[in-house]
Amino acid sequence: MVNNYQVGGSLNVNASTYVTRQADSELYEAMLGREFCYVFNCRQMGKSSLRVRVKNRLEQQGYACVSLDMTNIGSQIVTPMQWYKSIASELWRGLNLIGKVKFKTWWKSESGISPVKQLEQFISNVILPEIAAKQVYIFIDEIDSVLSLNFSTDDFFALIRYFYNQRAETSALNRLTFALFGVATPSDLISDRTRTPFNIGTAIELTGFSREEAKPLIAGLEDSFSNSQVVLQEILNWTGGQPFLTQKLCKLVIEAVAEASMTITPGKEANWVAQLISEQIIHDWESQDEPEHLKTIRDRLLQDEQKASRLLGCVKQIHEQGFIDSDQSIEQKYLLLSNLVTKQGSQILFRNPIYQQIFNLSWVEQQLDKLRPYGREIDQWLKSESKDTSRLLRGKSLQQAQAWASKHDLSLADYQFINASQAQEQEKIRRDLELERLQEVEARLIKERQLAKLQRFFLRAMSLAFLATLGLSSAVYWNYRQSKVKQVEAHIASAESLFKSDRYFDSVIEAIKAKKVAATVNKIDSELKFKSSLALQQAVYNLAEKNTFSGHQDIVLGVGYSPNGRLIASGSSDTTIKIWQRNGKLLQTIEGHKDTVQDVTFSPDGQTIASGSEDRTIKFWNRNGKLLRTIDAHEGTVNRLAYSPDGKMLASASEDKTVRLWNQNGKPLKTLVGHQSGVMAVAFSEDGKLLATGDRNGELRLWKVTGEVIRTIDAYNSPLRGVDFSPDGKKLVTGGDDNFVKLWQPDGKLIRVFDRYNAPVTGVKFSPDGKLIGTTSWDGTIKIWNPIGTLHYNSPGQ
């Protein structure tokens, strides 16, 4: 009896148990078409075996192919120079250039340039000329191991993107094609937010074995079972077609039959396979997990303590509901890479019954209890549908939970539980203070009654009663007002906490709540109102910068919110615009642009949405997503849009170095010409008569809306990203990539340079009264300054 099933490792090109899937033909055809490809999936799904097969097919066609295993190149102690040299050396060996090129001599001769440039020159000037008659395919496996190096590899992936983008200008690069394999997502490859993301290539989806695809496995079962097809189907029912588990079970069933010298009675296959799985895989699984597979899933879930709580929260939901709706969130992407779950349509569910039984609800709750210091309390609170307030945290327990939460990436349920505990604690403090004041009033009345004479008592009592009533009314009003103020402060704190935990959409919702409550309080502190506005600005801006809107198929570049805060619009590289409720519910997907949507903005009355795109157009939509009109606006990408305060004029800033003004019906009014580089920032003055613009060279220009240049200021030596007028129009504030905030007079005189940030300044804003200046940055802080340059407020925890 021959057992050819292989458990773990890459199958060789002639393996009889290799299962050909749709991904085989998709990857082969895409690479023949010279498409850059990536196969990103969880471990032990057959990525390496797929790579071996496709590489062999291409080699059979006479093409030059080389595979790089990145675990064999990098380590935690390697230097960037050694790492890039090792990659070049592997290419040199793998493409059989040993006798043609003296590698060490060549590499030494180019030592005056950066390592990534040396690699680029080696591929362009050595590999491609030496293999002039062939297509060159470079397969890069275990790409995720690159992400843990102790230096940035952004330049490496930027180089691969460069080879792809340069095909239009350098014909030789059309003969060069890459394929990447690993446990990662494209967004993981370039971590620097200021650089263009890794947005090229064709994704190849790798799924489990279907019943039809798995037929080659039957041959190995036929000598052991009279009804081998039924046995294979039972195996697939348990594994869900997961390649590693399917191969392992096929091997196990053959070994079990041989060891026991038994024959399985027809019709008993299902029970026998189930019992075998229970005994040899599920029972005491940690000791039987050889080669390691289930432990890999466990470690993927738990290895990052800051993310583990959110991942386990998702798994718990799937246990309780049977599935969760796919929303493309970060935690769902990590969960899919664990191998525990799979996506079917719009739902995420367990990949197979084996995983579901091993990582069961009891296991999940045990792990959550180990992670969270308030595990039992939140479980009971959630079971009561968030109604059992006795389970909420108080005093020292709440303080400990808050300290723990500040260092971990929590699920929405955790945030709701802690916020509810905070709210209850604040309400208790308010009630205690009110009771204390009432007791003081009552004590004073009693003392007065004891000291007063009977004849004067009634008059005095009535006077005191009137004063007490007045005082109590004032106290009640004061307490009400203070309660509202504390609500605003709590929402702002929650928004900042969520922001620092990368939950940007939830941060927007909390910031909107802060603004809504602030609007209900008469004469509320203007500084508190300003803080709530800055919290909202920071969260909305970073939704775009960090691309956290779930639902888009590519990065998000522009975000705008309606004046009343009820709607949010997002524009993406997937060419769509999406309209959301402030609770995160997607209302509308708008299609119409032919290229990346760079910016979206609401008109001041909230009835119109304007969008600018790389397709060089501006489109106007009503708030329900109906297209109103399209303008062929510019000769380059439309970077930014801004409405005048009265909504009668729209300004558009473009890579074609111009700013154009339009009326509310999209008719051209004026073109402002003079910038020497792409325009990135634009703002109207409060009276709508002036316009400020900033470009990639750091130049600030001040214009009249009639098109006349008032002044040109060399503000920065790097891109200028933010600009705003003071309410009286007598000052300008700017922020840019050199990390400085600067205050100017309209005549070009620099008034003040504020303390330097540690990252580019992304947004600047005057308070409505002009007495404060708010700024936001990629370092995640909100700062509020006095115009004299002193720091008035800094978001906590930074």
Side-chain angles (χ1 to χ4, degrees), residues 622-638:
N622 69 17
R623 59 190 293 153
N624 296 320
K626 180 181 178 182
L627 180 63
L628 303 176
R629 64 190 65 86
T630 298
I631 305 172
D632 292 324
H634 287 272
E635 295 178 4
T637 298
V638 180

Side-chain angles (χ1 to χ4, degrees), residues 631-633 650 660-663 665-671:
I631 305 172
D632 292 324
L650 178 74
R660 297 188 178 182
L661 304 179
W662 317 84
N663 70 12
N665 296 318
K667 300 297 182 181
L669 299 175
K670 186 68 64 176
T671 299

Side-chain angles (χ1 to χ4, degrees), residues 284-577:
D284 193 18
W285 64 269
E286 289 180 307
S287 64
Q288 298 196 93
D289 189 32
E290 293 294 340
E292 191 171 288
H293 175 68
L294 300 169
K295 292 175 185 175
T296 303
I297 298 175
R298 177 201 62 193
D299 294 344
R300 188 80 186 182
L301 292 172
L302 304 178
Q303 65 184 359
D304 188 337
E305 186 180 337
Q306 292 187 351
K307 292 186 176 69
S309 178
R310 288 171 68 181
L311 296 181
L312 291 169
C314 290
V315 178
K316 185 176 180 180
Q317 275 188 282
I318 299 173
H319 272 297
E320 293 171 342
Q321 300 171 191
F323 65 89
I324 57 176
D325 291 324
S326 173
D327 60 11
Q328 298 296 314
S329 61
I330 294 296
E331 61 263 32
Q332 287 189 6
K333 290 179 181 178
Y334 278 111
L335 189 60
L336 287 166
L337 289 177
S338 73
N339 208 2
L340 177 64
V341 299
T342 187
K343 182 180 176 183
Q344 292 185 10
S346 61
Q347 297 177 344
I348 293 177
L349 58 164
F350 289 109
R351 185 176 289 278
N352 58 55
I354 293 177
Y355 296 163
Q356 187 173 3
Q357 290 192 26
I358 289 176
F359 302 101
N360 55 36
L361 187 57
S362 175
W363 181 88
V364 172
E365 290 177 338
Q366 287 175 10
Q367 304 309 313
L368 282 171
D369 286 342
K370 291 178 183 178
L371 287 171
R372 300 186 299 205
Y374 49 84
R376 290 184 180 179
E377 289 83 356
I378 190 174
D379 283 342
Q380 293 299 319
W381 184 70
L382 291 172
K383 286 178 181 177
S384 73
E385 298 181 349
S386 308
K387 295 177 181 177
D388 186 355
T389 57
S390 68
R391 302 295 177 177
L392 295 176
L393 303 176
R394 299 173 179 83
K396 189 174 181 180
S397 296
L398 176 57
Q399 294 173 6
Q400 291 173 342
Q402 290 171 319
W404 182 86
S406 68
K407 300 176 183 177
H408 292 79
D409 198 4
L410 306 185
S411 67
L412 183 58
D414 286 84
Y415 280 114
Q416 291 171 337
F417 177 70
I418 291 177
N419 287 339
S421 298
Q422 290 174 326
Q424 178 174 270
E425 188 83 343
Q426 291 168 356
E427 178 63 19
K428 181 178 182 299
I429 292 171
R430 188 192 67 76
R431 288 198 306 267
D432 289 347
L433 288 172
E434 184 176 348
L435 179 61
E436 183 179 339
R437 292 189 186 94
L438 290 173
Q439 289 173 340
E440 289 176 357
V441 171
E442 185 178 0
R444 287 198 301 269
L445 289 172
I446 293 172
K447 186 176 181 180
E448 291 293 338
R449 283 197 299 269
Q450 292 173 343
L451 297 174
K453 293 180 179 180
L454 184 60
Q455 189 176 11
R456 300 171 58 192
F457 173 79
F458 293 103
L459 289 174
R460 186 173 296 177
M462 291 181 65
S463 299
L464 287 174
F466 172 77
L467 292 173
T469 301
L470 182 61
L472 286 173
S473 298
S474 300
V476 169
Y477 173 74
W478 187 86
N479 287 332
Y480 167 79
R481 188 178 183 280
Q482 287 301 104
S483 174
K484 289 293 184 180
V485 170
K486 288 184 180 296
Q487 285 183 43
V488 175
E489 292 173 340
H491 285 309
I492 292 173
S494 179
E496 290 173 347
S497 174
L498 290 164
F499 174 83
K500 284 178 280 185
S501 299
D502 294 340
R503 296 191 65 83
Y504 306 107
F505 208 113
D506 295 327
S507 178
V508 167
I509 294 168
E510 287 297 307
I512 288 173
K513 288 178 181 177
K515 284 184 68 66
K516 186 176 180 181
V517 175
T520 67
V521 183
N522 291 329
K523 298 182 180 179
I524 193 170
D525 191 314
S526 62
E527 180 183 337
L528 193 59
K529 278 190 175 181
F530 194 37
K531 286 180 184 178
S532 67
S533 295
L534 262 292
L536 182 58
Q537 178 179 336
Q538 171 187 250
V540 170
Y541 184 89
N542 282 274
L543 274 171
E545 291 299 332
K546 302 203 176 182
N547 310 306
T548 58
F549 272 102
S550 302
H552 282 292
Q553 301 303 308
D554 208 332
I555 61 173
V556 177
L557 294 171
V559 178
Y561 57 95
S562 62
N564 61 12
R566 293 178 181 175
L567 297 177
I568 301 172
S570 58
S572 166
S573 288
D574 66 10
T575 75
T576 70
I577 300 163

Side-chain angles (χ1 to χ4, degrees), residues 82 145 177 187 217 239-241 320 500 520 567 587 599 626 652 724 746:
Q82 292 169 334
S145 67
T177 304
S187 61
L217 299 175
T239 67
E320 293 171 342
K500 284 178 280 185
T520 67
L567 297 177
L587 297 178
D599 197 19
K626 180 181 178 182
S652 58
D724 192 35

Side-chain angles (χ1 to χ4, degrees), residues 218 221-222 224-238 249-250 253-254 257 264-265 268-270 272-273 276:
I218 293 176
L221 302 172
E222 289 177 338
S224 303
F225 301 96
S226 60
N227 199 342
S228 56
Q229 291 186 3
V230 174
V231 173
L232 178 61
Q233 184 57 50
E234 289 303 320
I235 290 173
L236 293 175
N237 290 343
W238 277 96
L249 269 178
C250 288
V253 296
I254 291 177
V257 168
I264 305 303
T265 304
K268 301 292 185 180
E269 295 91 350
W272 182 79
V273 170
L276 181 70

